[in-house]
């Protein structure tokens, strides 16, 4: 008999698990809603799906039995055109989640620390803990802007990485470039997570050419509708990129993901039109939410709207939507009380959400 507790790394027993979202078939089964009636607004996924060209190309592709290119040459060349930076700046990952993990593996030794600015994406503290690092939380201000002064003050000799999300998840606001420049002055590695860049049009990517300690992460999950294929990329200084290339899993961009990215970039005009549609719908959802007295939506530059719910009714609201087959995120943490987060869907999804919310009101 093995004592499993003694075998696993100390700390993992007490570690809190990441709170993931579930796919449609699982939601359908668990909540008894037929799949075609599930309105999934909890994962910031693209309700229009991927480009139809992707599906055709995946069907045509003939080399699924062959390992993909460990150097990602074709992938990086195609990406270079889209990003506007040289191939030597770019490395793909199995989702930007993998790159968050890789970056931390590159810089952290047990006992080192990472600065996190909550409320924000939960993957940073999760990956930090797995690497044996310590998360130092510097709370965002009331308007969800980062407190760059407080972050700088918190930097010490063990601080290895600072995470900034722009636009932020769940609040949707962008981080001012001057704040990022301010943080870069510390000399600590600053990771700017731009998973929602295509919905904001605001980026600090060009700054990577002048700042070796700046890393920008992007994703194909949200705007390009490829969340299920797991593909993202990072923009790194060419002095840093070879280290990531060295420590990554050799075949981390799988063949299907590579095909999907190449086709998406060929069909870029159509994908941009979908993004514009979602941006317009974001405006419409924001207006409609603002009309409900018990809700306070926060302005967003992502494909998601965070809403503060008055009268302690956030959980009730979340449950009422769930009963109607509408799945969103609910937050009740010390840094985010009585809030819900709604991903931008199609117009009919907005209508269904508003109809149910009116009943709650
Ligand atoms: C969704 C999300 C990611 C993860 O993207 P993948 O490419 O699907 O791994 C990363 N960062 C933020 C802020 C996100 O919201």
């Amino acid at each position: 008999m093995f004592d499993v507790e003694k075998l696993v790394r100390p700390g993992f027993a007490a570690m809190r698990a990441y709170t993931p979202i579930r796919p449609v078939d699982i939601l359908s089964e668990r909540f008894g809603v037929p799949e075609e009636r599930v309105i999934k607004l909890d994962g910031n996924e693209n309700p229009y799906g991927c480009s139809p060209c992707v599906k055709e190309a995946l069907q045509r592709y003939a080399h699924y039995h062959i390992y993909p290119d460990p150097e990602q040459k074709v992938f990086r060349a195609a990406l270079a055109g889209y990003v506007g930076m040289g191939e030597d700046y770019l490395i793909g990952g199995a989702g930007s989640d993998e790159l968050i993990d890789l970056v931390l593996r590159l810089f952290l030794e047990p006992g080192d620390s990472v600065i996190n600015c909550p409320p924000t994406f939960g993957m940073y503290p999760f990956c930090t803990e797995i690497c044996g690092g310590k998360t130092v939380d510097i709370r965002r201000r009331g308007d969800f802007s980062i407190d760059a002064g407080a972050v700088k003050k918190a930097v010490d000799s063990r601080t290895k990485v600072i995470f900034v999300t722009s636009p932020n998840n769940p609040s949707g606001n962008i981080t001012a470039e001057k704040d990022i420049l301010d943080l870069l002055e510390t000399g600590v590695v600053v990771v700017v997570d731009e998973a929602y860049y295509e919905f904001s049009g605001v980026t600090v990517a060009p700054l990577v050419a002048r700042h070796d300690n700046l890393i920008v992460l992007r994703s194909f999950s949200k705007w390009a509708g490829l969340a299920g294929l797991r593909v993202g990329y990072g923009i790194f200084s060419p002095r840093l990129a070879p280290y990531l290339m060295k420590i990554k899993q050799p075949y981390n961009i799988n063949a299907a993901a590579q095909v999907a990215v190449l086709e998406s970039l060929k069909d870029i005009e159509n994908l941009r039109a979908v993004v514009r549609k979602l941006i317009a719908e974001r405006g419409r959802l924001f207006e409609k939410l603002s009309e409900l007295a018990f809700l306070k939506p926060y302005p967003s530059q992502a494909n998601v709207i965070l809403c503060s719910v008055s009268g302690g009714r956030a959980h009730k609201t979340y449950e009422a939507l769930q009963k109607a087959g509408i799945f969103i995120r609910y937050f009740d943490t010390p840094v985010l009380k009585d809030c819900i987060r709604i991903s931008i869907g199609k117009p009919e999804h907005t209508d269904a959400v508003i109809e149910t919310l009116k009943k709650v009101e």
Side-chain angles (χ1 to χ4, degrees):
M1 277 286 275
F2 290 111
D3 184 351
V4 172
E5 306 297 315
K6 283 201 181 115
L7 294 174
V8 299
R9 268 167 57 190
F12 279 4
M15 178 183 157
R16 273 202 316 158
Y18 183 73
T19 318
I21 48 164
R22 315 271 175 212
V24 175
D25 55 335
I26 305 293
L27 289 176
S28 164
E29 195 184 313
R30 186 186 290 181
F31 296 97
V33 183
E35 278 192 35
E36 64 281 5
R37 280 200 36 231
V38 168
I39 298 181
K40 191 177 188 308
L41 304 175
D42 61 352
N44 309 344
E45 292 134 329
N46 190 326
Y48 294 97
C50 65
S51 157
C53 306
V54 167
K55 290 183 194 163
E56 281 167 33
L58 287 174
Q59 210 155 31
R60 280 196 312 268
Y61 187 73
H63 309 290
Y64 288 119
H65 59 301
I66 303 294
Y67 284 103
D69 175 17
E71 290 176 35
Q72 310 171 345
K73 275 198 180 352
V74 176
F75 173 89
R76 290 160 73 205
L79 210 54
Y82 174 68
V83 177
M85 310 275 290
E87 290 157 48
D88 50 341
Y89 284 85
L90 304 169
I91 293 180
S96 47
D97 283 351
E98 189 197 15
L99 293 164
I100 293 167
D101 180 55
L102 266 183
V103 164
L104 290 170
R105 286 175 191 235
L106 183 61
F107 296 110
L108 285 198
E109 288 192 279
D112 284 341
S113 64
V114 170
I115 297 183
N116 182 47
C117 302
T120 191
F121 191 46
M123 196 56 74
Y124 318 129
F126 172 75
C127 293
T128 298
E129 197 158 349
I130 290 174
C131 282
K134 194 171 90 191
T135 302
V136 175
D137 283 332
I138 303 295
R139 224 173 139 147
R140 285 168 181 261
R141 300 192 186 95
D143 63 356
F144 300 114
S145 61
I146 62 160
D147 187 342
V151 171
K152 280 171 86 171
K153 257 191 226 141
V155 169
D156 64 21
S157 61
R158 297 307 299 265
T159 310
K160 296 295 161 67
V161 178
I162 300 169
F163 279 102
V164 176
T165 320
S166 182
N168 188 38
N169 176 6
S171 55
N173 60 307
I174 59 162
T175 297
E177 187 170 307
K178 71 167 171 40
D179 284 340
I180 291 163
L181 286 168
D182 206 15
L183 298 181
L184 286 169
E185 273 174 24
T186 60
V188 173
V189 171
V190 177
V191 177
V192 179
D193 185 340
E194 295 186 353
Y196 301 94
Y197 155 66
E198 283 76 6
F199 299 100
S200 72
V202 178
T203 180
V204 293
L207 296 180
V208 178
R210 282 184 280 129
H211 297 272
D212 285 336
N213 59 330
L214 174 61
I215 293 171
V216 174
L217 301 182
R218 301 253 190 93
S219 174
F220 280 89
S221 295
K222 280 53 188 247
W223 72 284
L226 298 181
L229 282 178
R230 314 300 305 121
V231 54
Y233 60 97
I235 307 167
F236 303 91
S237 150
R239 295 169 64 188
L240 214 49
Y243 287 97
L244 287 137
M245 201 46 112
K246 197 183 220 173
I247 69 166
K248 78 173 180 62
Q249 292 286 328
Y251 313 112
N252 64 330
I253 296 285
N254 71 67
Q258 169 165 323
V259 168
V261 164
L262 297 181
E263 288 304 311
S264 298
L265 294 177
K266 278 187 215 158
D267 195 27
I268 191 80
E269 283 317 313
N270 287 321
L271 285 174
R272 288 208 163 111
V274 169
V275 168
R276 284 195 295 273
K277 219 161 23 174
L278 288 166
I279 290 172
E281 196 56 25
R282 175 178 76 198
R284 199 172 78 94
L285 178 63
F286 186 86
E287 291 290 306
K288 299 239 173 218
L289 292 170
S290 309
E291 287 164 12
L292 297 167
F294 76 118
L295 296 179
K296 183 187 166 213
Y298 295 94
S300 167
Q301 304 216 49
N303 66 335
V304 57
I305 294 179
L306 182 72
C307 244
S308 186
V309 185
S310 68
R313 282 187 290 176
H315 195 258
K316 212 180 116 198
T317 305
Y318 165 77
E319 283 186 327
L321 288 164
Q322 194 172 82
K323 227 179 238 162
I326 302 167
F327 298 89
I328 61 163
R329 286 294 290 259
Y330 159 70
F331 297 102
D332 185 33
T333 64
V335 289
L336 206 57
K337 285 225 164 298
D338 294 318
C339 279
I340 55 173
R341 191 198 71 184
I342 309 171
S343 309
I344 308 304
K346 295 179 177 177
E348 60 264 36
H349 300 151
T350 299
D351 295 342
V353 167
I354 298 299
E355 194 187 316
T356 306
L357 289 175
K358 278 184 177 155
K359 284 184 204 149
V360 175
E361 188 177 36

